[in-house]
Amino acid sequence: MPQLTFALNHMTAPSLPLDAFFALAADLGIKAVEIRNDLPGNAIHDGTTPTDVKAAAQRHGLTIISINALQRFNVWSPEREAEARALIDYAEACGARALVLVPKNDGTGRADGERQTNLMAALTALKPLLDKAGIIGLVEPLGFEICSLRSKREAAEAIRSVGGEGTFRLVHDTFHHHLAGEPELFADLTGLIHISGVEDSGIAIGDLRDSHRVLVGLGDTMGNVEQIKALIAAGYAGPLSFEPFASVVHDLPDPKTAIAGSMAFLRETV
């Protein structure tokens, strides 16, 4: 049985102030966290300095494995470059090891040729910025049908085409992997696994949204256990980062007990 390592994305308990979120992770025995730039009144969004974030993480004995995320990264523009530079600077200053890169997800930019060209342009522009700061770019394909980057194969091919194997890694999100229906895993290029489950089997795959994503448990229909087993068997040795978006998780009065239960389930089944 493999020794699982867990991480905690702030989306698991988005209403908690940063210090309380860090304390939750530490109380669970989790040593790695992902902070976010999209939580109003929290972390980066509220103007907290990277120095303060770094000090808080150190106080709780935590490693910040990523900032989540540079949105629409594959639509490169002067505005996107400015956003990227600011987030990379913040990551470097707060001690974060990586920046998650999320593609455009509005139904545009999906045409053959167009999406590959846009992806290559973004990776080419990001590579020197990330390399200078020593930050990894975590490319996260999304399984939604409207997304401009659904395929991990396309992402992997683009990374290799720009000579970016030392700069970029893939995020394997168990929810999005299931939605995309792409069987290949690319464990050798995977830098992080995001885990969440769906327990309502009555929803068609095309109708699944972030709001359906809960903690992974016995009723999961996304195949989390099978995906994790396969990735570990193929050589993945990094953390499994909890990233549920459902309000039923966010509103839990005792998130620690629920997360601990999911950790125990995975340790027993993977």
Side-chain angles (χ1 to χ4, degrees):
M1 184 172 293
Q3 185 70 35
L4 302 184
T5 302
F6 293 101
L8 203 61
N9 188 300
H10 203 162
M11 187 54 72
T12 309
S15 64
L16 288 182
L18 190 68
D19 197 72
F21 166 66
F22 284 172
L24 171 64
D27 287 347
L28 285 161
I30 291 175
K31 301 297 185 183
V33 290
E34 294 184 87
I35 61 174
R36 303 184 68 95
N37 64 330
D38 60 353
L39 299 180
N42 218 329
I44 300 167
H45 204 284
D46 70 356
T48 302
T49 68
T51 302
D52 288 342
V53 172
K54 184 175 185 177
Q58 290 175 338
R59 189 166 60 249
H60 291 285
L62 302 173
T63 297
I64 301 173
I65 56 172
S66 86
I67 293 177
N68 194 330
L70 176 64
Q71 299 286 342
R72 299 163 64 91
F73 85 93
N74 57 339
V75 184
W76 200 251
S77 65
E79 176 188 27
R80 196 73 63 245
E81 180 178 350
E83 291 175 3
R85 287 182 180 275
L87 282 170
I88 290 168
D89 287 348
Y90 198 104
E92 186 178 14
C94 78
R97 295 181 175 178
L99 174 63
V100 176
L101 306 172
V102 174
K104 189 179 187 183
N105 188 45
D106 63 2
T108 63
R110 296 171 58 234
D112 281 340
E114 177 188 13
R115 65 177 187 270
Q116 294 90 344
T117 299
N118 289 343
L119 176 58
M120 290 279 289
L123 295 180
T124 299
L126 278 163
K127 186 178 184 299
L129 305 181
L130 292 163
D131 286 346
K132 183 179 179 181
I135 302 296
I136 294 294
L138 291 171
V139 180
E140 183 168 19
L142 306 182
F144 299 126
E145 292 178 0
I146 62 171
C147 186
S148 60
L149 178 59
R150 299 186 74 203
S151 167
K152 287 198 290 295
R153 170 164 288 284
E154 282 191 8
E157 289 175 349
I159 288 169
R160 293 181 174 122
S161 293
V162 302
E165 294 94 332
T167 305
F168 300 102
R169 286 288 180 270
L170 298 174
V171 175
H172 178 105
D173 184 294
T174 56
F175 172 82
H176 287 298
H177 180 77
H178 185 84
L179 265 60
E182 185 180 38
E184 294 171 282
L185 296 174
F186 301 97
D188 62 318
L189 267 180
T190 298
L192 182 62
I193 298 176
H194 279 160
I195 59 172
S196 61
V198 173
E199 297 191 344
D200 188 340
S201 59
I203 305 172
I205 287 179
D207 293 330
L208 287 169
R209 298 293 181 266
D210 280 335
S211 59
H212 297 117
R213 298 170 63 174
V214 297
L215 294 168
V216 181
L218 186 61
D220 175 47
T221 63
M222 296 289 101
N224 272 268
V225 169
E226 292 77 12
Q227 290 184 48
I228 295 166
K229 281 183 175 179
L231 281 158
I232 291 173
Y236 179 78
L240 312 174
S241 186
F242 287 100
E243 195 191 29
F245 283 77
S247 59
V248 293
V249 177
H250 296 172
D251 296 339
L252 287 170
D254 181 16
K256 178 183 175 182
T257 297
I259 298 164
S262 186
M263 292 167 66
F265 169 77
L266 289 165
R267 285 179 174 136
E268 291 167 3
T269 55
V270 172

